[in-house]
Amino acid sequence: MQSRGTSPIWDLPRFNGAPAPEAEAALLGCFGSAAWARRLAAHRPYPDAEALLAAADEAAYDLAPADHAEALAAEVSPGLRPDAPRSAHLALAAAHAEYERKFGHVFVICLDGYPPAEHPDQVLAGIRARLAHEEDRERAVTADEMRRLARGRLAALVSSR
């Protein structure tokens, strides 16, 4: 669950110099909160990627619950490769449905650092573990996962690969 429309043609100088609406649109591909995107775009230029990532974390911590809900609504639950066994698809679909029933939103998890072959197991284990959380605990875990996802997407957006 890494990229949601970030473009590989961006880098930090282009991000810093882009018109605000263009920068905000790119940021929305990293984290679906308009308030977060506006704040990061408004504080440009950033001297380096680490400063941008730190600002992104700070902006995410400062969001109102409605802004978090907006960002969460833009997420898509992690799935399996189409060639995964049908039984795995069914198990994951059932786990996602139970999670969404209990918490009222999609399950999000940052899989940075895990090889793609481990993603299905990490997603299923994550859902199962987090279904045991109380609502307040899960809200905090979800916010942390969202920040981690945004960091990874933002780093990819401004890297000059």
Side-chain angles (χ1 to χ4, degrees), residues 21-120:
E22 197 175 319
E24 288 173 21
L27 288 165
L28 284 170
C30 299
F31 189 84
S33 163
W36 180 87
R38 278 191 306 273
R39 179 171 169 176
L40 288 180
H43 287 90
R44 294 173 303 150
Y46 294 95
D48 54 41
E50 282 307 311
L52 173 58
L53 295 175
D57 283 345
E58 183 180 330
Y61 282 116
D62 292 344
L63 289 177
D67 298 316
H68 276 285
E70 176 188 23
L72 194 52
E75 292 295 325
V76 176
S77 295
L80 300 174
R81 292 188 333 239
D83 62 345
R86 178 166 161 55
S87 59
H89 282 282
L90 292 173
L92 188 58
H96 278 300
E98 178 61 15
Y99 181 91
E100 290 179 27
R101 183 201 60 75
K102 181 172 182 178
F103 296 112
H105 58 79
V106 299
F107 173 77
V108 293
I109 187 169
C110 181
L111 297 170
D112 293 353
Y114 291 101
E118 292 181 23
H119 289 184

